[in-house]
Amino acid sequence: MVDKSWLKESATFSRPVIREIQRAAETGIYDIRGFGAKRHIPHFDDLVFLGASMSRYPLEGYRETCDTSVVLGDRFAKKPITIDIPITIAGMSFGALSAQAKEALGRGASKMGTSTTTGDGGMTPEERGQSKYLVYQYLPSRYGMNPEDLRKADAIEVVVGQGAKPGGGGMLLGQKISDRVAGMRNLPKGIDQRSACRHPDWTGPDDLEIKIAELREITDWEKPIYVKVGAARTFYDVTLAIKAGADVVVVDGMQGGTAATQDVFIEHVGIPTLPAVRAAVEALQELDMHRKVQLIVSGGIRSGADVAKALAMGADAVSIGTAALVALGDNNDIYEAEYNKLGTSAGYYDDYQDGQDPAGICTQDPELSQRLDPVAAGRRLANYLNVLTLETQTLARACGKSHVHNLEPEDLAALTIEAAAMAGVPLAGTQWIPGKL
Amino acid sequence: MASFDLADNTVRELNKHLHGAVTDKVTVDNPGGKHSVAVGATDAHQVEINGNVGYYCAGMNAEASVVVNGHAGPGLAENMMSGRVHVTGSASQYCAATAHGGLVVIDGDASSRCGISMKGVDIVVKGSVGHMSAFMAQTGRLVVCGDAGDALGDSIYEAQLYVRGTVESLGADCEEKAMRAEHKQALQDLLDAAGVTGVSVDEFKRYGSARKLYHFNIDNASSY
Ligand SMILES: Cc1cc2nc3c(=O)[nH]c(=O)nc-3n(C[C@H](O)[C@H](O)[C@H](O)COP(=O)(O)O)c2cc1C
């Protein structure tokens, strides 16, 4: 055996980099995978709360109330929705996910009084049935889109882009195109299917305004209409979404998860969630629309600390994808032997695209998907959402807030100069915000 | 029988009526190029619109029959589910985009991206269609009695295209197919349904997917 502790690994040509060059040379095709960006980028970890002290007083941890409810869509919709916690479940398609996983997401979200979201592939009866509030995505592919389901939805989300791939369309590889998935999408079974990256019947913000008006007409102005964008030119994108008539804007940072995207896209396109929240809030404030049009932020939300920091920066709610899947059972050690057979390990698994998920979540294989018990998995998700909420309240009370929306940028300090510049909060111990005087 | 004069009534009033319990004959005057005229109908109304309409007329239509005595703007009958939409003039871009069912008849020309991402609808255009028509078309049939522009049927799936005139170019993975008896019969039925006379099915050529791009294959990289 060679004693590897003496060997010096190149920072530039690290082992994963070398492995990828070898893989590319073997196959001649780019790497397609699931999950989100894996490299280190500035994130909410680089912020801390200041808490209360001499100049502010905290709230009692258990007794004094700290409200967590959020109203979404009261700008134009006749029927806005009120969620009990500031955390929603992001859009993930039936196709990418098994029907059991979709049902479990609905169960967990409903138990906590929050919403879940369809995805690129239409609405399934399982998720509609189990979701108290279901947001119906309106995507470029329009797979499974129909006016009946549109009217069954509690809100409509026009998807312009996704943080994992701003400017990219969806992919669902043949292994996951079962009869049911193919039928819902009007496509032949088993083909590699690529969703369009642009909407087929509108381009640009002026068209979007007309499109949103059409969706409102079809649904008699009842439903809140969200617009989801991948974080890139966030200030302008949010400004234009508001102008186009959105009730809610969803901004998804570059860490955001995906079911299948080129690795090069996941890691190199878009900006992190941290600067995106600030840019989105600035756009809302400049138009005097902050708290009138709601902002939902996603991309790398893992804990109540992340939730509280996003809210303190001005978001109205957050949305989770990857963390929700992990709560259901994704990347669980109990499947270690099977992960090993797939050439990976629990904690590293990201091949959501290939349909062999041992946890029965990112698959259409009937045997694998049977492994996921929607009731038990839904309970785990509800538990997890409960912890996120309790943690968020803990931090809010420590800052003396009786509603989580009362958290504010003044409650935050940054640990790094990058985070200070991106989030627009002072570097800890100073009053310095790089880029501002 | 209901009538809406869009010089006085709002588009909202019209659409509300079309989503209501009463199914009847509806006439619409002075549409004045307004958007979202007669969208989301839920029943077998018979709607007659006298004049030109803007974006998304008859969008997501189900069961209703909508006649536009005039021209239609972009996205006519987008995502239609069933029923029939007939335009006596011409239609702008993305006509019948993503539509799942029913029949769309255009007496004049349709612009670019006619039938984009279509999912089961039948479209009959008596004139010509512009570039990128039937882009990513999934299922359904597009009949063009005139000519087709550039890149017809690019990245097409299982939709079937019939063109009587010239095709400027075919898009990636779209190829000419044999016209067998069953196709001639199907085409004749479509022409009859659309009320097209004086043309013979023998004058048409059929196009569809070569199915070479259905699976990622490195040897096809230059076509993607
Ligand atoms: C398996 C999976 C499938 C997804 N499918 C969709 C989709 O169909 N439509 C969409 O807008 N976003 C989709 N997303 C992105 C999520 O909606 C969300 O933006 C992202 O997961 C948030 O980041 P997070 O995973 O770090 O929480 C998907 C994400 C995952 C992990």
Side-chain angles (χ1 to χ4, degrees):
Chain A
M1 272 298 274
V2 177
D3 178 359
K4 288 200 178 181
S5 63
W6 293 105
L7 300 178
K8 187 166 179 186
E9 181 174 358
S10 166
T12 308
F13 287 90
S14 62
R15 276 170 292 172
V17 169
I18 287 178
R19 183 66 184 266
E20 169 53 20
I21 294 171
Q22 291 163 341
R23 192 206 58 78
E26 282 300 314
T27 64
I29 186 136
Y30 44 47
D31 184 27
I32 298 172
R33 65 171 176 88
F35 220 83
K38 289 191 160 180
R39 66 200 176 108
H40 179 81
I41 48 176
H43 197 29
F44 292 120
D45 289 340
D46 303 322
L47 300 180
V48 287
F49 280 101
L50 296 176
S53 55
M54 297 283 271
S55 58
R56 325 199 155 196
Y57 60 88
L59 294 187
E60 207 60 68
Y62 291 99
R63 291 181 203 93
E64 287 178 291
T65 51
C66 178
D67 193 350
T68 59
S69 63
V70 184
V71 177
L72 296 168
D74 55 353
R75 182 188 187 191
F76 291 121
K78 277 195 249 167
K79 296 187 176 169
I81 60 182
T82 303
I83 51 175
D84 296 341
I85 60 171
I87 308 149
T88 66
I89 305 300
M92 293 181 274
S93 71
F94 167 66
L97 301 191
S98 62
Q100 286 85 341
K102 288 300 285 177
E103 181 182 336
L105 292 173
R107 285 178 179 274
S110 300
K111 204 158 178 219
M112 290 302 292
T114 190
S115 61
T116 181
T117 312
T118 65
D120 200 2
M123 183 188 287
T124 64
E126 289 95 329
E127 65 180 334
R128 175 60 284 186
Q130 295 304 333
S131 305
K132 182 171 177 205
Y133 299 117
L134 183 59
V135 183
Y136 188 31
Q137 285 199 328
Y138 190 77
L139 293 124
S141 71
R142 311 277 164 88
Y143 292 138
M145 174 52 53
N146 69 77
E148 256 181 66
D149 286 345
L150 201 67
R151 292 186 177 104
K152 279 188 210 149
D154 299 293
I156 299 163
E157 180 167 296
V158 178
V159 180
V160 178
Q162 216 181 301
K165 48 181 167 184
M171 280 188 202
L172 196 67
L173 302 189
Q175 303 90 302
K176 290 172 88 170
I177 312 278
S178 65
D179 283 324
R180 184 171 178 201
V181 172
M184 279 178 71
R185 297 178 184 222
N186 309 93
L187 282 171
K189 186 183 176 184
I191 67 168
D192 290 335
Q193 166 263 288
R194 293 187 294 167
S195 316
C197 61
R198 288 197 305 270
H199 281 264
D201 59 353
W202 64 269
T203 38
D206 297 331
D207 280 6
L208 176 57
E209 185 171 348
I210 303 170
K211 174 50 76 177
I212 288 177
E214 184 210 8
L215 292 171
R216 292 201 193 275
E217 279 297 320
I218 291 170
T219 53
D220 294 310
W221 290 76
E222 287 181 354
K223 322 275 178 199
I225 297 194
Y226 304 8
V227 172
K228 176 176 179 174
V229 292
R233 296 173 186 85
T234 306
F235 178 84
Y236 298 104
D237 291 342
V238 171
T239 301
L240 293 169
I242 297 167
K243 185 200 158 267
D247 292 307
V248 176
V249 182
V250 183
V251 175
D252 190 25
M254 73 172 282
Q255 302 95 315
T258 173
T261 301
Q262 298 93 327
D263 175 81
V264 71
F265 218 140
I266 298 176
E267 297 283 3
H268 299 281
V269 185
I271 62 169
T273 306
L274 192 65
V277 187
R278 198 208 72 241
V281 173
E282 279 177 3
L284 286 158
Q285 286 169 338
E286 189 161 304
L287 295 173
D288 194 22
M289 281 293 169
H290 191 220
R291 305 290 188 219
K292 295 177 192 160
V293 166
Q294 286 79 35
L295 173 66
I296 300 181
V297 165
S298 59
I301 303 289
R302 305 148 298 175
S303 65
D306 292 341
V307 179
K309 289 169 189 174
L311 298 186
M313 287 180 65
D316 292 274
V318 301
S319 196
I320 58 169
T322 306
L325 300 186
V326 173
L328 296 188
D330 174 58
N331 268 296
N332 194 312
D333 281 338
I334 58 172
Y335 297 115
E336 181 61 10
E338 284 175 75
Y339 286 128
N340 292 168
K341 275 191 226 149
L342 298 171
T344 183
S345 181
Y348 297 87
Y349 179 66
D350 61 12
D351 285 323
Y352 295 167
Q353 80 291 345
D354 84 353
Q356 301 184 60
D357 184 356
I361 296 169
C362 292
T363 182
Q364 293 302 318
D365 181 294
E367 271 174 38
L368 291 174
S369 32
Q370 281 302 330
R371 291 182 182 178
L372 191 80
D373 173 356
V375 177
R379 198 174 308 120
R380 286 195 293 275
L381 176 61
N383 285 341
Y384 172 64
L385 289 171
N386 201 27
V387 171
L388 292 186
T389 307
L390 290 169
E391 287 179 344
T392 306
Q393 287 173 307
T394 300
L395 294 170
R397 287 198 182 96
C399 296
K401 314 295 183 185
S402 60
H403 193 296
V404 292
H405 281 177
N406 296 342
L407 285 164
E408 53 194 332
E410 284 70 37
D411 294 316
L412 295 169
L415 298 179
T416 65
I417 295 172
E418 285 99 330
M422 289 185 192
V425 303
L427 187 66
T430 77
Q431 300 193 345
W432 183 40
I433 303 176
K436 290 200 183 137
L437 287 179
Chain B
M1 177 84 194
S3 63
F4 293 84
D5 183 342
L6 293 186
D8 301 323
N9 301 120
T10 60
V11 170
R12 181 81 286 267
E13 288 167 309
L14 165 65
N15 289 329
K16 199 172 163 192
H17 179 83
L18 294 175
H19 305 166
V22 189
T23 304
D24 60 12
K25 274 190 136 120
V26 179
T27 49
V28 180
D29 292 312
N30 296 309
K34 292 201 165 75
H35 307 314
S36 304
V37 173
V39 295
T42 50
D43 225 325
H45 302 273
Q46 300 209 336
V47 185
E48 181 147 13
I49 301 167
N50 298 308
N52 304 321
V53 290
Y55 277 63
Y56 307 131
C57 176
M60 295 213 189
N61 182 55
E63 294 190 44
S65 160
V66 178
V67 177
V68 178
N69 293 311
H71 302 297
L76 172 82
E78 65 85 18
N79 213 89
M80 174 157 104
M81 303 305 294
S82 58
R84 182 184 167 108
V85 172
H86 177 189
V87 172
T88 61
S90 291
S92 185
Q93 42 184 351
Y94 354 107
C95 169
T98 77
H100 286 70
L103 176 66
V104 177
V105 181
I106 310 294
D107 288 352
D109 300 317
S111 180
S112 56
R113 300 186 167 84
C114 176
I116 181 171
S117 205
M118 56 196 274
K119 295 171 169 47
V121 68
D122 288 326
I123 307 169
V124 178
V125 180
K126 296 186 189 171
S128 298
V129 297
H131 67 265
M132 294 298 267
S133 286
F135 176 55
M136 291 181 103
Q138 295 178 213
T139 62
R141 298 169 297 182
L142 168 65
V143 179
V144 181
C145 298
D147 305 323
D150 226 3
L152 176 73
D154 193 276
S155 304
I156 188 172
Y157 294 98
E158 293 297 303
Q160 302 200 20
L161 316 178
Y162 299 94
V163 182
R164 179 157 158 260
T166 57
V167 172
E168 202 168 317
S169 71
L170 292 174
D173 212 29
C174 184
E175 64 176 17
E176 191 182 332
K177 304 259 184 187
M179 264 294 236
R180 293 189 297 272
E182 75 252 35
H183 302 119
K184 289 186 183 174
Q185 186 57 55
L187 176 58
Q188 187 62 58
D189 293 346
L190 280 168
L191 293 171
D192 292 345
V196 180
T197 51
V199 303
S200 157
V201 294
D202 297 320
E203 299 170 73
F204 286 80
K205 285 182 177 161
R206 184 170 78 97
Y207 304 89
S209 180
R211 304 189 181 99
K212 288 195 183 118
L213 300 184
Y214 275 9
H215 293 277
F216 282 100
N217 181 342
I218 185 56
D219 299 325
N220 291 334
S222 59
S223 319
Y224 289 125

